[in-house]
């Protein structure tokens, strides 16, 4: 009995799900021309039209839509069977993608506690500002700042921390007139990959953002906070990634504000939500966050 190649089937299933060759190619980590070639070869080998392209994008034929549903279910079963087989091993590796700031400043120092509680689960942390390709199994789970919109993903809310301006004690001493947000107009502001976070923060507190916004772009939150600790200007932080620095006096909050921008969320594929290793990590993560963010007596 003839069976198409698994590569061609995965390519078609991804195209059918995204209704786009380019999005499917991005998920699979190949060029869109490779995906197109696989799909074309699959149709030729089956001698059945599965899809066609129009100005609106990829359109499935009736046979193609029915085939895509069956393939999605079959690939899901293969995935679950593979995961179950791996869980039988003594050590279950788990790759967690995370924003660099959260990975460096919150997650990494606490991982020994998780390992002590779960000695049979190896953790690999993959810091990156780029979204992880969970659909393509490039990571098992992701910790994201913001809410995902993909229907194939499921997430748990971790926390929505307060966001506030911080600077070093030395910087504050050198700028005694800067005591609150209304005085930041002439300050050197430390930015991440763009000026947008500071602009959103000013909008939230009801103060017009100074134009032009001054200060360097340092791309990552943890780099902006390090620059702030070295007296280079004012950064935006939150309790999860700079709470310990504030408590230790290495950073000083400027004024007192109550602004939240985005939530931190824990994300996995929907069909992997109940995998034992992911459940254990998720429950540990949420418990640790709740313990640290609960109101102090």
């Amino acid at each position: 009995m003839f069976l198409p190649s698994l590569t061609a089937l995965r390519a078609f299933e991804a195209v059918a799900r995204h209704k786009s060759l380019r999005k499917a190619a991005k998920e699979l980590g190949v060029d869109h021309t490779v995906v197109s070639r696989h799909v074309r070869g699959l149709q030729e080998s089956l001698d059945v039209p599965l899809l066609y392209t129009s100005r609106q994008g990829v359109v499935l034929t009736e046979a193609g839509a029915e085939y895509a549903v069956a393939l999605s279910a079959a690939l899901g079963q293969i995935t679950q069977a593979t995961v179950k087989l791996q869980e039988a091993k003594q050590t279950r590796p788990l790759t967690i993608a995370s924003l660099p700031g959260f990975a460096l400043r919150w997650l990494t120092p606490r991982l020994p506690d998780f390992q002590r509680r779960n000695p049979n689960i190896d953790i690999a942390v993959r810091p990156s500002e780029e979204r992880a390709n969970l659909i393509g199994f490039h990571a098992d789970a992701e910790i994201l700042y913001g809410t995902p919109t993909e229907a194939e993903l499921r997430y748990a809310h971790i926390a929505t921390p307060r966001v506030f301006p911080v600077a070093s004690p030395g910087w504050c001493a050198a700028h005694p007139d800067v005591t609150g947000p209304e005085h930041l107009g002439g300050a050197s502001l430390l930015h991440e990959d763009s000026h947008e976070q500071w602009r959103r923060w000013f909008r939230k507190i009801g103060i017009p953002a100074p134009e032009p916004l001054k200060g360097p772009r340092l791309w990552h939150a943890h780099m902006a906070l390090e620059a702030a600790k070295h007296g280079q200007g004012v950064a935006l932080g939150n309790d999860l990634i700079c709470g310990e620095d504030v408590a230790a006096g290495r950073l000083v909050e400027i004024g007192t504000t109550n602004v939240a921008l985005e939530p931190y969320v824990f994300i996995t594929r929907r069909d992997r939500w109940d995998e034992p290793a992911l459940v254990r990590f998720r429950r540990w993560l949420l418990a640790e966050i709740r313990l640290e963010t609960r109101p102090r007596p």
Side-chain angles (χ1 to χ4, degrees):
M1 180 175 60
F2 167 74
L3 284 177
S5 75
L6 181 59
T7 301
L9 293 176
R10 285 188 64 204
F12 169 69
E13 191 274 338
V15 171
R17 180 159 32 83
H18 288 291
K19 303 295 189 297
S20 166
L21 287 168
R22 292 188 180 275
K23 289 182 179 179
K26 184 176 181 180
E27 174 184 315
L28 297 173
V30 298
D31 189 81
H32 74 280
T33 57
V34 176
V35 174
S36 178
R37 186 168 65 248
H38 283 312
V39 173
R40 185 170 61 251
L42 178 64
Q43 293 186 107
E44 291 174 354
S45 63
L46 294 173
D47 195 25
V48 176
L50 301 174
L51 55 79
Y52 60 91
T53 57
S54 68
R55 291 183 178 179
Q56 288 71 40
V58 171
V59 179
L60 296 175
T61 64
E62 183 176 349
E66 184 177 346
Y67 196 40
V69 170
L71 281 180
S72 293
L75 291 173
Q77 288 179 340
I78 291 172
T79 299
Q80 291 174 1
T82 303
V83 169
K84 188 174 181 180
L85 183 65
Q86 288 181 322
E87 286 172 352
K89 298 190 301 183
Q90 184 176 2
T91 301
R92 169 73 171 100
L94 198 65
T95 299
I96 307 296
S98 172
L99 291 167
F102 187 89
L104 175 67
R105 293 176 169 269
W106 192 94
L107 181 58
T108 302
R110 293 162 178 79
L111 279 181
D113 178 71
F114 177 80
Q115 296 282 199
R116 180 179 59 80
R117 297 169 184 267
N118 301 273
N120 63 324
I121 302 177
D122 282 345
I123 292 289
V125 177
R126 185 178 295 168
S128 176
E129 291 286 350
E130 298 293 327
R131 287 292 308 278
N133 186 353
L134 301 182
I135 304 301
F137 298 96
H138 293 180
D140 297 298
E142 179 180 18
I143 296 170
L144 177 69
Y145 188 61
T147 305
T149 58
E150 297 92 335
E152 302 91 346
L153 302 179
R154 182 174 174 180
Y155 68 92
H157 178 271
I158 298 175
T160 305
R162 188 172 63 91
V163 178
F164 47 86
V166 291
S168 70
W171 190 94
C172 292
H175 301 80
D177 295 335
V178 181
T179 59
E182 65 276 14
H183 305 134
L184 292 174
S188 178
L189 304 180
L190 303 172
H191 306 274
E192 296 180 27
D193 60 333
S194 74
H195 296 163
E196 184 56 29
Q197 189 180 42
W198 269 109
R199 286 198 173 94
R200 290 183 60 203
W201 188 84
F202 277 114
R203 284 197 298 268
K204 281 272 191 174
I205 63 173
I207 296 177
E211 293 294 348
L213 285 172
K214 298 181 180 180
R217 291 167 56 189
L218 300 171
W219 292 96
H220 303 301
H222 64 285
M223 290 182 63
L225 291 170
E226 283 300 310
K229 282 199 292 186
H230 286 86
Q232 296 176 23
V234 183
L236 283 175
N238 64 60
D239 286 326
L240 292 182
I241 63 174
C242 72
E244 292 182 357
D245 285 325
V246 172
R250 293 184 291 268
L251 287 171
V252 177
E253 181 177 354
I254 297 176
T256 301
T257 55
N258 188 24
V259 172
L261 296 180
E262 297 282 358
Y264 283 96
V265 295
F266 175 86
I267 316 168
T268 65
R269 288 173 54 119
R270 285 188 176 276
D271 57 0
R272 302 190 63 189
W273 186 256
D274 293 322
E275 288 180 16
L278 287 169
V279 170
R280 290 182 189 179
F281 184 84
R282 182 173 70 246
R283 288 177 177 172
W284 170 82
L285 175 67
L286 294 177
E288 288 294 307
I289 291 286
R290 292 190 187 108
L291 181 65
E292 295 191 19
T293 58
R294 67 183 179 182
R296 302 297 182 185

